[in-house]
Amino acid sequence: MQQSHAYNDTSLALTTSILDAKARKNLSWQDLTEGTGLSLAYVTAALLGQHPLPADAAQVVGDKLELDAASVAQLQIIPLRGSLSGVPTDPTIYRFYEMIQIYGTTLKALVHEQFGDGIISAINFKLDIKKVEDPEGGSRAVITLDGKFLPLRPF
């Protein structure tokens, strides 16, 4: 039977133990994703408490991190989503917030002009991040947010 978290306390404790084990074992998010059959972004988000893992994927990760059976089971519970409140203080997260502050209305205007009234799903969604070389030197981050458009349905 599927279960759902009602509070974040247990998810935060599990995430803390996952991050501790990941660091202790010197594993990358990619290392933890291998063998799950899932995307890097999905597994990372799941291990940070934002998604449930299917039983087989939870066991793969649990084996790599040497998690007990209760923790592996907890990885399969639907979380109480949302990890941020207020203006983020971490510089990396703040830059995403800043991008939305500057380009949010532009994205909304373009989505509505091209698709009509509706939203971009964060449930039927894919995320990818790639590091590419910048012709002017250094690196660039290419982030793809790929969500299904869900039109407004008047009732």
Side-chain angles (χ1 to χ4, degrees), residues 1-18 45-53 58 69-82:
M1 172 179 13
Q2 285 191 332
Q3 300 293 322
S4 178
H5 286 290
Y7 302 100
N8 275 330
D9 298 350
T10 55
S11 289
L12 291 173
L14 178 58
T15 298
T16 299
S17 67
I18 287 168
L47 297 179
L48 293 174
Q50 298 303 305
H51 293 307
L53 287 175
S71 295
V72 171
Q74 192 176 345
L75 284 172
Q76 300 168 59
I77 297 174
I78 299 166
L80 185 63
R81 293 180 171 97

Tab-separated table of all heavy atoms in Angstrom, residues 1-18 45-53 58 69-82:
chain	number	residue	atom	x	y	z
A	1	MET	N	0.835	-1.170	0.000
A	1	MET	CA	0.000	0.000	0.000
A	1	MET	C	0.888	1.244	0.000
A	1	MET	O	1.850	1.322	0.750
A	1	MET	CB	-0.891	-0.009	1.242
A	1	MET	CG	-1.634	1.277	1.400
A	1	MET	SD	-2.768	1.488	2.800
A	1	MET	CE	-2.478	0.194	3.910
A	2	GLN	N	0.552	2.220	-0.848
A	2	GLN	CA	1.311	3.463	-0.868
A	2	GLN	C	1.035	4.267	0.386
A	2	GLN	O	-0.078	4.306	0.888
A	2	GLN	CB	0.938	4.308	-2.083
A	2	GLN	CG	1.510	3.805	-3.362
A	2	GLN	CD	1.332	4.821	-4.478
A	2	GLN	OE1	0.410	5.608	-4.473
A	2	GLN	NE2	2.226	4.781	-5.416
A	3	GLN	N	2.059	4.900	0.871
A	3	GLN	CA	1.957	5.752	2.047
A	3	GLN	C	2.430	7.146	1.664
A	3	GLN	O	3.125	7.325	0.673
A	3	GLN	CB	2.817	5.210	3.182
A	3	GLN	CG	2.443	3.821	3.641
A	3	GLN	CD	1.078	3.774	4.304
A	3	GLN	OE1	0.709	4.676	5.025
A	3	GLN	NE2	0.340	2.724	4.048
A	4	SER	N	2.098	8.117	2.486
A	4	SER	CA	2.511	9.493	2.244
A	4	SER	C	2.985	10.112	3.552
A	4	SER	O	2.394	9.883	4.600
A	4	SER	CB	1.339	10.293	1.684
A	4	SER	OG	1.706	11.632	1.482
A	5	HIS	N	4.060	10.893	3.464
A	5	HIS	CA	4.531	11.632	4.635
A	5	HIS	C	3.558	12.772	4.931
A	5	HIS	O	3.038	13.402	4.019
A	5	HIS	CB	5.911	12.257	4.374
A	5	HIS	CG	7.026	11.285	4.382
A	5	HIS	ND1	7.473	10.661	5.516
A	5	HIS	CD2	7.802	10.819	3.377
A	5	HIS	CE1	8.476	9.860	5.222
A	5	HIS	NE2	8.694	9.929	3.924
A	6	ALA	N	3.332	13.042	6.193
A	6	ALA	CA	2.508	14.175	6.592
A	6	ALA	C	3.380	15.340	7.036
A	6	ALA	O	2.945	16.480	7.039
A	6	ALA	CB	1.566	13.770	7.718
A	7	TYR	N	4.625	15.052	7.419
A	7	TYR	CA	5.551	16.071	7.899
A	7	TYR	C	6.911	15.834	7.275
A	7	TYR	O	7.217	14.731	6.827
A	7	TYR	CB	5.662	16.031	9.432
A	7	TYR	CG	4.342	16.230	10.108
A	7	TYR	CD1	3.627	15.151	10.597
A	7	TYR	CD2	3.793	17.499	10.234
A	7	TYR	CE1	2.394	15.325	11.197
A	7	TYR	CE2	2.564	17.681	10.831
A	7	TYR	CZ	1.862	16.590	11.307
A	7	TYR	OH	0.644	16.772	11.891
A	8	ASN	N	7.737	16.859	7.251
A	8	ASN	CA	9.073	16.753	6.660
A	8	ASN	C	10.124	16.192	7.603
A	8	ASN	O	11.216	15.865	7.170
A	8	ASN	CB	9.548	18.130	6.170
A	8	ASN	CG	9.042	18.438	4.788
A	8	ASN	OD1	8.840	17.539	3.978
A	8	ASN	ND2	8.828	19.708	4.508
A	9	ASP	N	9.836	16.084	8.908
A	9	ASP	CA	10.847	15.676	9.882
A	9	ASP	C	11.552	14.378	9.512
A	9	ASP	O	12.776	14.288	9.551
A	9	ASP	CB	10.237	15.540	11.280
A	9	ASP	CG	9.681	16.856	11.801
A	9	ASP	OD1	9.929	17.904	11.178
A	9	ASP	OD2	8.996	16.811	12.838
A	10	THR	N	10.771	13.340	9.158
A	10	THR	CA	11.392	12.052	8.838
A	10	THR	C	12.178	12.123	7.534
A	10	THR	O	13.232	11.509	7.418
A	10	THR	CB	10.341	10.933	8.765
A	10	THR	OG1	9.332	11.319	7.834
A	10	THR	CG2	9.719	10.672	10.123
A	11	SER	N	11.678	12.880	6.566
A	11	SER	CA	12.411	13.039	5.305
A	11	SER	C	13.736	13.753	5.520
A	11	SER	O	14.749	13.388	4.934
A	11	SER	CB	11.584	13.829	4.281
A	11	SER	OG	10.510	13.068	3.811
A	12	LEU	N	13.725	14.776	6.371
A	12	LEU	CA	14.957	15.517	6.652
A	12	LEU	C	15.989	14.627	7.333
A	12	LEU	O	17.175	14.680	7.006
A	12	LEU	CB	14.663	16.748	7.500
A	12	LEU	CG	13.885	17.858	6.803
A	12	LEU	CD1	13.508	18.951	7.800
A	12	LEU	CD2	14.669	18.431	5.649
A	13	ALA	N	15.547	13.798	8.265
A	13	ALA	CA	16.468	12.884	8.949
A	13	ALA	C	17.051	11.877	7.964
A	13	ALA	O	18.262	11.605	7.987
A	13	ALA	CB	15.751	12.168	10.092
A	14	LEU	N	16.218	11.333	7.079
A	14	LEU	CA	16.708	10.378	6.085
A	14	LEU	C	17.675	11.062	5.121
A	14	LEU	O	18.736	10.512	4.801
A	14	LEU	CB	15.544	9.748	5.314
A	14	LEU	CG	15.937	8.758	4.215
A	14	LEU	CD1	16.760	7.597	4.779
A	14	LEU	CD2	14.697	8.254	3.496
A	15	THR	N	17.327	12.267	4.650
A	15	THR	CA	18.209	12.997	3.738
A	15	THR	C	19.560	13.257	4.391
A	15	THR	O	20.605	13.102	3.743
A	15	THR	CB	17.555	14.319	3.295
A	15	THR	OG1	16.352	14.016	2.586
A	15	THR	CG2	18.480	15.117	2.387
A	16	THR	N	19.559	13.609	5.651
A	16	THR	CA	20.817	13.844	6.372
A	16	THR	C	21.659	12.576	6.400
A	16	THR	O	22.867	12.625	6.134
A	16	THR	CB	20.529	14.339	7.805
A	16	THR	OG1	19.820	15.576	7.715
A	16	THR	CG2	21.810	14.552	8.586
A	17	SER	N	21.046	11.436	6.681
A	17	SER	CA	21.816	10.187	6.716
A	17	SER	C	22.301	9.798	5.327
A	17	SER	O	23.408	9.263	5.175
A	17	SER	CB	21.017	9.056	7.366
A	17	SER	OG	19.914	8.694	6.583
A	18	ILE	N	21.511	10.085	4.300
A	18	ILE	CA	21.934	9.805	2.912
A	18	ILE	C	23.144	10.665	2.553
A	18	ILE	O	24.129	10.164	1.994
A	18	ILE	CB	20.763	10.040	1.932
A	18	ILE	CG1	19.745	8.908	2.069
A	18	ILE	CG2	21.254	10.171	0.490
A	18	ILE	CD1	18.425	9.169	1.366
A	45	ALA	N	16.815	14.277	-6.793
A	45	ALA	CA	15.673	14.907	-6.122
A	45	ALA	C	15.047	13.950	-5.104
A	45	ALA	O	14.676	14.365	-4.005
A	45	ALA	CB	14.634	15.353	-7.146
A	46	ALA	N	14.945	12.677	-5.451
A	46	ALA	CA	14.377	11.690	-4.529
A	46	ALA	C	15.224	11.569	-3.271
A	46	ALA	O	14.699	11.545	-2.151
A	46	ALA	CB	14.248	10.333	-5.215
A	47	LEU	N	16.532	11.514	-3.436
A	47	LEU	CA	17.418	11.369	-2.286
A	47	LEU	C	17.490	12.646	-1.452
A	47	LEU	O	17.899	12.607	-0.297
A	47	LEU	CB	18.805	10.913	-2.735
A	47	LEU	CG	18.820	9.535	-3.401
A	47	LEU	CD1	20.217	9.157	-3.833
A	47	LEU	CD2	18.207	8.473	-2.509
A	48	LEU	N	17.064	13.762	-2.028
A	48	LEU	CA	16.960	15.014	-1.287
A	48	LEU	C	15.541	15.220	-0.745
A	48	LEU	O	15.186	16.303	-0.290
A	48	LEU	CB	17.395	16.194	-2.162
A	48	LEU	CG	18.878	16.198	-2.530
A	48	LEU	CD1	19.186	17.316	-3.520
A	48	LEU	CD2	19.760	16.313	-1.292
A	49	GLY	N	14.719	14.168	-0.817
A	49	GLY	CA	13.413	14.176	-0.184
A	49	GLY	C	12.263	14.710	-1.005
A	49	GLY	O	11.215	15.031	-0.457
A	50	GLN	N	12.398	14.779	-2.344
A	50	GLN	CA	11.355	15.384	-3.166
A	50	GLN	C	10.549	14.400	-4.005
A	50	GLN	O	9.560	14.784	-4.619
A	50	GLN	CB	11.971	16.457	-4.070
A	50	GLN	CG	12.607	17.601	-3.299
A	50	GLN	CD	11.631	18.271	-2.354
A	50	GLN	OE1	10.562	18.717	-2.763
A	50	GLN	NE2	11.969	18.317	-1.070
A	51	HIS	N	10.958	13.142	-4.088
A	51	HIS	CA	10.238	12.122	-4.859
A	51	HIS	C	10.354	10.780	-4.146
A	51	HIS	O	11.354	10.530	-3.462
A	51	HIS	CB	10.833	11.940	-6.258
A	51	HIS	CG	10.687	13.095	-7.176
A	51	HIS	ND1	9.489	13.701	-7.448
A	51	HIS	CD2	11.600	13.775	-7.905
A	51	HIS	CE1	9.674	14.694	-8.304
A	51	HIS	NE2	10.949	14.767	-8.589
A	52	PRO	N	9.391	9.896	-4.363
A	52	PRO	CA	9.561	8.524	-3.888
A	52	PRO	C	10.355	7.731	-4.928
A	52	PRO	O	10.334	8.067	-6.112
A	52	PRO	CB	8.128	8.003	-3.800
A	52	PRO	CG	7.403	8.753	-4.883
A	52	PRO	CD	8.050	10.116	-4.928
A	53	LEU	N	11.048	6.712	-4.500
A	53	LEU	CA	11.725	5.815	-5.429
A	53	LEU	C	10.932	4.524	-5.547
A	53	LEU	O	10.382	4.044	-4.548
A	53	LEU	CB	13.141	5.481	-4.938
A	53	LEU	CG	14.183	6.584	-5.054
A	53	LEU	CD1	15.505	6.132	-4.416
A	53	LEU	CD2	14.412	6.982	-6.509
A	58	ALA	N	15.019	1.945	-4.926
A	58	ALA	CA	15.324	2.219	-3.516
A	58	ALA	C	16.309	1.181	-2.979
A	58	ALA	O	17.226	1.526	-2.219
A	58	ALA	CB	14.045	2.225	-2.691
A	69	ALA	N	16.772	-1.567	6.295
A	69	ALA	CA	15.514	-1.858	5.601
A	69	ALA	C	14.473	-0.761	5.820
A	69	ALA	O	13.709	-0.434	4.903
A	69	ALA	CB	14.969	-3.212	6.062
A	70	ALA	N	14.439	-0.180	7.014
A	70	ALA	CA	13.470	0.890	7.292
A	70	ALA	C	13.743	2.117	6.419
A	70	ALA	O	12.810	2.748	5.914
A	70	ALA	CB	13.503	1.269	8.767
A	71	SER	N	15.008	2.441	6.221
A	71	SER	CA	15.359	3.594	5.381
A	71	SER	C	15.040	3.320	3.918
A	71	SER	O	14.553	4.212	3.202
A	71	SER	CB	16.843	3.938	5.541
A	71	SER	OG	17.100	4.372	6.855
A	72	VAL	N	15.303	2.097	3.454
A	72	VAL	CA	14.966	1.724	2.073
A	72	VAL	C	13.454	1.827	1.876
A	72	VAL	O	12.988	2.338	0.855
A	72	VAL	CB	15.501	0.309	1.735
A	72	VAL	CG1	14.960	-0.162	0.392
A	72	VAL	CG2	17.023	0.304	1.732
A	73	ALA	N	12.691	1.382	2.859
A	73	ALA	CA	11.227	1.492	2.774
A	73	ALA	C	10.800	2.958	2.772
A	73	ALA	O	9.886	3.350	2.038
A	73	ALA	CB	10.579	0.741	3.936
A	74	GLN	N	11.462	3.767	3.571
A	74	GLN	CA	11.116	5.183	3.660
A	74	GLN	C	11.384	5.908	2.344
A	74	GLN	O	10.667	6.851	1.993
A	74	GLN	CB	11.896	5.840	4.793
A	74	GLN	CG	11.399	7.212	5.141
A	74	GLN	CD	12.119	7.805	6.339
A	74	GLN	OE1	12.793	7.106	7.082
A	74	GLN	NE2	11.986	9.101	6.504
A	75	LEU	N	12.387	5.468	1.592
A	75	LEU	CA	12.676	6.066	0.282
A	75	LEU	C	11.513	5.890	-0.695
A	75	LEU	O	11.429	6.594	-1.696
A	75	LEU	CB	13.937	5.444	-0.330
A	75	LEU	CG	15.267	5.890	0.224
A	75	LEU	CD1	16.394	5.031	-0.349
A	75	LEU	CD2	15.506	7.358	-0.075
A	76	GLN	N	10.625	4.957	-0.404
A	76	GLN	CA	9.510	4.650	-1.298
A	76	GLN	C	8.228	5.399	-0.939
A	76	GLN	O	7.241	5.339	-1.661
A	76	GLN	CB	9.243	3.140	-1.268
A	76	GLN	CG	10.455	2.337	-1.724
A	76	GLN	CD	10.304	0.875	-1.420
A	76	GLN	OE1	9.354	0.257	-1.900
A	76	GLN	NE2	11.207	0.322	-0.632
A	77	ILE	N	8.249	6.147	0.163
A	77	ILE	CA	7.061	6.863	0.616
A	77	ILE	C	6.942	8.200	-0.115
A	77	ILE	O	7.925	8.907	-0.302
A	77	ILE	CB	7.129	7.080	2.144
A	77	ILE	CG1	7.121	5.722	2.863
A	77	ILE	CG2	5.968	7.942	2.619
A	77	ILE	CD1	7.333	5.833	4.359
A	78	ILE	N	5.729	8.532	-0.506
A	78	ILE	CA	5.483	9.810	-1.184
A	78	ILE	C	5.799	10.939	-0.205
A	78	ILE	O	5.237	10.999	0.878
A	78	ILE	CB	4.023	9.907	-1.653
A	78	ILE	CG1	3.711	8.778	-2.643
A	78	ILE	CG2	3.742	11.274	-2.271
A	78	ILE	CD1	2.233	8.579	-2.915
A	79	PRO	N	6.715	11.840	-0.582
A	79	PRO	CA	7.141	12.893	0.354
A	79	PRO	C	6.188	14.077	0.390
A	79	PRO	O	5.333	14.243	-0.479
A	79	PRO	CB	8.492	13.321	-0.219
A	79	PRO	CG	8.323	13.128	-1.690
A	79	PRO	CD	7.465	11.885	-1.840
A	80	LEU	N	6.355	14.878	1.394
A	80	LEU	CA	5.736	16.193	1.452
A	80	LEU	C	6.707	17.102	0.695
A	80	LEU	O	7.790	17.395	1.180
A	80	LEU	CB	5.574	16.636	2.911
A	80	LEU	CG	4.831	17.928	3.147
A	80	LEU	CD1	3.381	17.807	2.667
A	80	LEU	CD2	4.856	18.282	4.620
A	81	ARG	N	6.352	17.480	-0.528
A	81	ARG	CA	7.284	18.165	-1.414
A	81	ARG	C	7.433	19.641	-1.075
A	81	ARG	O	6.570	20.257	-0.489
A	81	ARG	CB	6.846	17.992	-2.859
A	81	ARG	CG	6.971	16.556	-3.325
A	81	ARG	CD	6.520	16.419	-4.774
A	81	ARG	NE	6.828	15.101	-5.299
A	81	ARG	CZ	5.953	14.099	-5.346
A	81	ARG	NH1	4.724	14.264	-4.893
A	81	ARG	NH2	6.301	12.931	-5.843
A	82	GLY	N	8.545	20.177	-1.543
A	82	GLY	CA	8.856	21.582	-1.334
A	82	GLY	C	9.968	21.692	-0.325
A	82	GLY	O	9.837	21.249	0.811
